[in-house]
């Protein structure tokens, strides 16, 4: 986690010498349930001990935001009332959150902000959701007397992605960042928004992320294309069954998917097939966790990887390679984590295999791609909060 003092020194230096309030929000992992959130299915994320920390202070202006991205050494000032908003992609998260919080009735005016983060960028650990929920938490506290609910902050973060950053994401990342709790994974039903905390202390196993360092970029078409495919299948099923109500793939059965196979085409069919299977796998993992059956959890993770790679087509050569190494090493479970197109694999590995697996992965990956994967041991941490 970023030290408060690290941010504070820069906040003081780059603005008027005064201090503000400090807020933090984490990135996330996801055990299973990928690309299910925008399909009304289940996800199984947890917050991590890495995140974004921001110092913020009201500056007395009507709508001027002075923002400093510490890691990039980049300063951008902009006006909230300027309909175009700032160009810098990091500043758009601040602009977007401020406008979305205004929509929720928070009278956001001008403020100063400096922030830093230690969620690896492009690793599929949701650095962007960490920013959104951190800024949302701060604006709610500074201008809104904390009247906006945690769920509304989650939705404001999602709306920021949709309206200002071009990613039609679901709610998993922002949810995990806001609601995270140390030591617990969370099973969220993305349709009803009900969720449960699952203490996660797998006896004899641990979770480790291997970062391919292939940068995943969700902005732009491939992520949104997947979502469109899913929605297209739902439309066709709805047309065949006017008596029913089909909002997302969650409402559709395997039989109904087969009925529209020919009309939707092979690609959309494969995408929907993955999503229906993934919904079942999350539920199977919950049962397995309740029974302490980690081998079953791992089996489901491998199935998810296969589906993400072959049917959903969001993997890449490097991630498939890391998955193969996990298999060769007898690792219990391994799969792509997050949106895909690069980033990390998440691995459930027995303690006694851990060292050998990580060394083997580093060595083989390096031999093939000329650099080692980065290794992050997963520590499940708390969600958004004010630090001081
Ligand atoms: C990204 C999105 C999430 C979710 C995952 C895939 O992280 O932001 O909403 O769809 O991809 O599970």
């Amino acid at each position: 986690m970023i030290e408060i003092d690290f941010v504070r020194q820069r906040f003081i230096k780059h603005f008027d010498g005064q201090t503000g309030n400090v807020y933090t929000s984490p990135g996330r992992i996801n055990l299973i349930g990928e690309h299910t959130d925008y399909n009304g299915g289940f996800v199984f994320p947890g917050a991590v001990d890495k995140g974004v920390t921001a110092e913020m202070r009201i500056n007395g202006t009507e709508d001027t935001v002075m923002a400093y991205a510490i890691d990039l050494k980049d300063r951008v000032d902009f006006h909230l009332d300027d309909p175009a908003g700032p160009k810098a992609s990091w500043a758009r998260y601040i602009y977007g959150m401020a406008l979305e919080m205004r929509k929720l009735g928070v009278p956001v005016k001008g403020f100063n902000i400096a922030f830093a983060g230690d969620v690896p960028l492009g690793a599929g650990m949701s650095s962007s959701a960490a920013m959104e929920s951190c800024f949302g938490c701060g604006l709610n506290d500074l201008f809104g007397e904390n009247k906006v609910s945690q769920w509304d902050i989650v939705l404001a973060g999602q709306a920021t992605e949709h309206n200002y950053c071009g990613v039609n994401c679901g709610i998993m990342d922002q949810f995990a960042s806001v609601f995270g709790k140390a030591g617990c994974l969370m099973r969220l039903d993305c349709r009803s928004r009900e969720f449960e905390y699952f203490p996660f202390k797998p006896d004899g196993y641990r979770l480790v992320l291997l970062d391919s360092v292939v940068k995943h970029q969700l902005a732009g078409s491939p992520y949104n294309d997947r979502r469109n495919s899913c929605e297209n299948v739902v439309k066709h099923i709805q047309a065949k069954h006017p008596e029913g109500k089909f909002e997302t793939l969650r409402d559709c059965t395997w039989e109904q998917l087969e009925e529209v196979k020919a009309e939707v085409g092979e690609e959309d069919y494969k995408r929907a097939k993955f999503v229906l299977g993934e919904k079942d796998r999350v539920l199977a993992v919950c049962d397995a966790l309740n029974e302490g059956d980690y081998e079953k959890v791992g089996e489901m993770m491998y199935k998810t990887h296969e589906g993400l790679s072959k049917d959903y087509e969001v993997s890449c050569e490097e991630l498939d390679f890391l998955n193969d190494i996990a298999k060769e090493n007898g690792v219990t479970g391994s799969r792509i984590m997050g949106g895909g197109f690069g980033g990390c694999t998440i691995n459930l590995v027995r303690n006694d295999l851990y060292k050998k697996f990580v060394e083997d992965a580093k060595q083989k990956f390096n031999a093939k791609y000329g650099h080692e994967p980065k290794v992050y041991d997963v520590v499940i941490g708390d969600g958004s909060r004010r630090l001081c």
Side-chain angles (χ1 to χ4, degrees), residues 39 228-265 268-273 275-276 279:
N39 285 301
N228 292 340
S229 290
C230 296
E231 289 171 358
N232 185 40
V233 172
V234 176
K235 250 188 241 146
H236 280 263
I237 293 178
Q238 177 71 76
K240 270 222 159 50
H241 295 275
E243 74 294 348
K245 194 158 180 269
F246 299 87
E247 284 178 349
T248 60
L249 281 176
R250 170 76 177 275
D251 308 318
C252 307
T253 64
W254 288 100
E255 293 73 32
Q256 288 159 346
L257 173 60
E258 289 306 317
E259 283 169 15
V260 298
K261 182 172 178 182
E263 30 185 293
V264 299
D268 286 4
Y269 170 79
K270 280 198 319 191
R271 310 284 196 246
K273 186 177 129 205
V275 172
L276 292 196
K279 184 189 84 184

Side-chain angles (χ1 to χ4, degrees), residues 28 34-35 37-38 169-170 172-173 218 223 338-339:
R28 62 108 189 89
E34 223 61 89
H35 292 276
D37 57 355
Y38 53 83
C169 64
M172 169 169 70
D173 305 351
L218 293 189
Y223 180 91

Side-chain angles (χ1 to χ4, degrees), residues 203-237:
D203 197 15
Y205 297 81
R206 65 171 86 176
L207 286 174
V208 61
L209 308 182
L210 293 188
D211 185 354
S212 63
V213 203
V214 176
K215 289 264 176 272
H216 98 151
Q217 251 294 9
L218 293 189
S221 64
Y223 180 91
N224 296 348
D225 287 349
R226 301 299 181 285
R227 183 170 184 157
N228 292 340
S229 290
C230 296
E231 289 171 358
N232 185 40
V233 172
V234 176
K235 250 188 241 146
H236 280 263
I237 293 178

Side-chain angles (χ1 to χ4, degrees), residues 60-90:
T61 66
E62 261 319 291
D63 78 327
T64 307
V65 175
M66 300 183 213
Y68 184 59
I70 295 170
D71 304 321
L72 302 172
K73 296 193 170 55
D74 193 15
R75 164 85 182 255
V76 171
D77 294 357
F78 58 89
H79 294 283
L80 293 173
D81 296 332
D82 169 7
K87 284 207 181 68
S89 56
W90 62 266

Side-chain angles (χ1 to χ4, degrees), residues 28 30 33-38 43 124 126 128-129 158 161 167-174 216 218 223 337-340:
R28 62 108 189 89
N30 185 28
E34 223 61 89
H35 292 276
T36 45
D37 57 355
Y38 53 83
V43 293
S126 300
S128 57
Q158 184 193 27
E161 295 279 354
V167 181
N168 289 331
C169 64
I171 53 172
M172 169 169 70
D173 305 351
Q174 293 78 9
H216 98 151
L218 293 189
Y223 180 91
M337 189 184 74

